[in-house]
Short mmCIF file of all heavy atoms in Angstrom, two decimals:
data_model
loop_
_atom_site.label_atom_id
_atom_site.label_comp_id
_atom_site.label_asym_id
_atom_site.label_seq_id
_atom_site.Cartn_x
_atom_site.Cartn_y
_atom_site.Cartn_z
N GLY A 5 -70.86 48.30 -126.83
CA GLY A 5 -71.20 47.25 -125.86
C GLY A 5 -70.12 46.19 -125.69
O GLY A 5 -69.16 46.07 -126.45
N TRP A 6 -70.32 45.38 -124.63
CA TRP A 6 -69.45 44.26 -124.39
C TRP A 6 -69.64 43.18 -125.42
O TRP A 6 -70.73 43.02 -126.02
CB TRP A 6 -69.73 43.65 -123.02
CG TRP A 6 -69.29 44.45 -121.83
CD1 TRP A 6 -68.76 45.70 -121.84
CD2 TRP A 6 -69.38 44.08 -120.46
NE1 TRP A 6 -68.51 46.13 -120.57
CE2 TRP A 6 -68.87 45.15 -119.71
CE3 TRP A 6 -69.82 42.93 -119.83
CZ2 TRP A 6 -68.81 45.07 -118.32
CZ3 TRP A 6 -69.75 42.89 -118.45
CH2 TRP A 6 -69.26 43.95 -117.70
N THR A 7 -68.60 42.38 -125.65
CA THR A 7 -68.68 41.16 -126.42
C THR A 7 -68.50 39.98 -125.46
O THR A 7 -67.54 39.95 -124.70
CB THR A 7 -67.59 41.11 -127.51
OG1 THR A 7 -67.84 42.14 -128.48
CG2 THR A 7 -67.56 39.77 -128.21
N LEU A 8 -69.44 39.04 -125.51
CA LEU A 8 -69.32 37.83 -124.68
C LEU A 8 -68.68 36.74 -125.51
O LEU A 8 -69.05 36.53 -126.66
CB LEU A 8 -70.70 37.40 -124.19
CG LEU A 8 -71.49 38.47 -123.44
CD1 LEU A 8 -72.84 37.92 -122.98
CD2 LEU A 8 -70.71 38.99 -122.23
N TRP A 9 -67.77 36.01 -124.92
CA TRP A 9 -67.08 34.97 -125.64
C TRP A 9 -67.09 33.64 -124.89
O TRP A 9 -67.25 33.63 -123.66
CB TRP A 9 -65.62 35.38 -125.96
CG TRP A 9 -64.78 35.69 -124.75
CD1 TRP A 9 -64.56 36.94 -124.24
CD2 TRP A 9 -64.04 34.76 -123.97
NE1 TRP A 9 -63.75 36.83 -123.15
CE2 TRP A 9 -63.42 35.54 -122.96
CE3 TRP A 9 -63.85 33.40 -124.00
CZ2 TRP A 9 -62.59 34.95 -122.00
CZ3 TRP A 9 -63.06 32.80 -123.02
CH2 TRP A 9 -62.44 33.58 -122.04
N SER A 10 -66.93 32.56 -125.58
CA SER A 10 -66.82 31.23 -124.96
C SER A 10 -65.88 30.39 -125.78
O SER A 10 -65.71 30.61 -126.98
CB SER A 10 -68.16 30.56 -124.83
OG SER A 10 -68.80 30.42 -126.10
N ALA A 11 -65.24 29.42 -125.13
CA ALA A 11 -64.27 28.58 -125.80
C ALA A 11 -64.19 27.23 -125.09
O ALA A 11 -64.42 27.13 -123.89
CB ALA A 11 -62.91 29.25 -125.83
N GLU A 12 -63.79 26.25 -125.86
CA GLU A 12 -63.45 24.94 -125.31
C GLU A 12 -62.00 24.67 -125.67
O GLU A 12 -61.67 24.66 -126.88
CB GLU A 12 -64.38 23.88 -125.88
CG GLU A 12 -64.34 22.55 -125.17
CD GLU A 12 -65.39 21.59 -125.68
OE1 GLU A 12 -65.52 21.42 -126.90
OE2 GLU A 12 -66.11 21.01 -124.84
N ILE A 13 -61.14 24.48 -124.70
CA ILE A 13 -59.71 24.41 -124.98
C ILE A 13 -59.10 23.14 -124.42
O ILE A 13 -59.49 22.63 -123.38
CB ILE A 13 -58.96 25.63 -124.41
CG1 ILE A 13 -59.10 25.68 -122.88
CG2 ILE A 13 -59.46 26.92 -125.05
CD1 ILE A 13 -58.20 26.70 -122.25
N PRO A 14 -58.09 22.61 -125.13
CA PRO A 14 -57.40 21.42 -124.63
C PRO A 14 -56.47 21.77 -123.46
O PRO A 14 -55.89 22.85 -123.43
CB PRO A 14 -56.63 20.93 -125.85
CG PRO A 14 -56.40 22.17 -126.66
CD PRO A 14 -57.60 23.02 -126.46
N VAL A 15 -56.31 20.83 -122.53
CA VAL A 15 -55.37 21.01 -121.41
C VAL A 15 -54.50 19.77 -121.31
O VAL A 15 -54.89 18.68 -121.75
CB VAL A 15 -56.13 21.26 -120.08
CG1 VAL A 15 -56.81 22.60 -120.09
CG2 VAL A 15 -57.15 20.15 -119.82
N SER A 16 -53.35 19.93 -120.72
CA SER A 16 -52.38 18.85 -120.62
C SER A 16 -52.87 17.72 -119.74
O SER A 16 -53.33 17.97 -118.61
CB SER A 16 -51.05 19.37 -120.10
OG SER A 16 -50.14 18.34 -119.86
N ALA A 17 -52.75 16.53 -120.23
CA ALA A 17 -53.16 15.36 -119.44
C ALA A 17 -52.17 15.07 -118.32
O ALA A 17 -52.48 14.34 -117.38
CB ALA A 17 -53.25 14.13 -120.36
N LYS A 18 -51.00 15.69 -118.38
CA LYS A 18 -49.95 15.46 -117.37
C LYS A 18 -50.01 16.44 -116.21
O LYS A 18 -49.31 16.25 -115.19
CB LYS A 18 -48.58 15.53 -118.04
CG LYS A 18 -48.36 14.51 -119.14
CD LYS A 18 -47.00 14.67 -119.76
CE LYS A 18 -46.78 13.69 -120.91
NZ LYS A 18 -45.43 13.84 -121.53
N SER A 19 -50.81 17.48 -116.36
CA SER A 19 -50.81 18.51 -115.32
C SER A 19 -52.01 18.41 -114.41
O SER A 19 -53.11 18.02 -114.82
CB SER A 19 -50.81 19.91 -116.01
OG SER A 19 -49.68 20.06 -116.83
N SER A 20 -51.79 18.77 -113.14
CA SER A 20 -52.92 18.86 -112.20
C SER A 20 -53.44 20.27 -112.05
O SER A 20 -54.57 20.48 -111.63
CB SER A 20 -52.50 18.31 -110.82
OG SER A 20 -51.41 19.09 -110.34
N THR A 21 -52.63 21.24 -112.42
CA THR A 21 -53.02 22.65 -112.43
C THR A 21 -52.60 23.28 -113.74
O THR A 21 -51.55 22.92 -114.29
CB THR A 21 -52.40 23.43 -111.25
OG1 THR A 21 -50.96 23.41 -111.36
CG2 THR A 21 -52.83 22.84 -109.92
N VAL A 22 -53.39 24.21 -114.22
CA VAL A 22 -53.05 24.94 -115.44
C VAL A 22 -53.39 26.41 -115.27
O VAL A 22 -54.24 26.77 -114.44
CB VAL A 22 -53.79 24.40 -116.69
CG1 VAL A 22 -53.35 22.97 -117.00
CG2 VAL A 22 -55.30 24.47 -116.50
N GLN A 23 -52.73 27.23 -116.05
CA GLN A 23 -53.06 28.66 -116.09
C GLN A 23 -53.79 28.98 -117.39
O GLN A 23 -53.25 28.76 -118.48
CB GLN A 23 -51.80 29.51 -115.95
CG GLN A 23 -52.12 31.02 -115.87
CD GLN A 23 -50.88 31.85 -115.70
OE1 GLN A 23 -50.14 32.07 -116.67
NE2 GLN A 23 -50.61 32.31 -114.48
N LEU A 24 -54.98 29.52 -117.25
CA LEU A 24 -55.76 29.94 -118.40
C LEU A 24 -55.47 31.43 -118.70
O LEU A 24 -55.33 32.21 -117.76
CB LEU A 24 -57.25 29.74 -118.14
CG LEU A 24 -57.68 28.35 -117.64
CD1 LEU A 24 -59.17 28.31 -117.39
CD2 LEU A 24 -57.23 27.27 -118.58
N CYS A 25 -55.42 31.79 -119.96
CA CYS A 25 -55.16 33.19 -120.36
C CYS A 25 -56.17 33.59 -121.42
O CYS A 25 -56.63 32.78 -122.21
CB CYS A 25 -53.75 33.39 -120.92
SG CYS A 25 -52.42 32.88 -119.83
N ALA A 26 -56.43 34.92 -121.47
CA ALA A 26 -57.28 35.47 -122.53
C ALA A 26 -56.73 36.83 -122.96
O ALA A 26 -56.24 37.60 -122.10
CB ALA A 26 -58.71 35.63 -122.05
N LYS A 27 -56.80 37.11 -124.25
CA LYS A 27 -56.46 38.42 -124.77
C LYS A 27 -57.35 38.72 -125.99
O LYS A 27 -57.62 37.86 -126.80
CB LYS A 27 -54.97 38.49 -125.20
CG LYS A 27 -54.53 37.50 -126.28
CD LYS A 27 -53.03 37.63 -126.56
CE LYS A 27 -52.50 36.60 -127.49
NZ LYS A 27 -52.89 36.81 -128.89
N ALA A 28 -57.84 39.95 -126.03
CA ALA A 28 -58.77 40.35 -127.07
C ALA A 28 -58.06 41.14 -128.15
O ALA A 28 -57.00 41.75 -127.92
CB ALA A 28 -59.90 41.19 -126.48
#
């Protein structure tokens, strides 16, 4: 079966856009 995941991650205070990545 699938594994469901969740996370809370810090982002740069200086950026207006960010790229999120995931790898299992």
Side-chain angles (χ1 to χ4, degrees):
W6 287 6
T7 294
L8 305 181
W9 58 265
S10 60
E12 193 172 49
I13 61 170
V15 291
S16 172
K18 300 178 181 179
S19 300
S20 59
T21 61
V22 295
Q23 184 179 77
L24 309 179
C25 303
K27 59 182 174 74

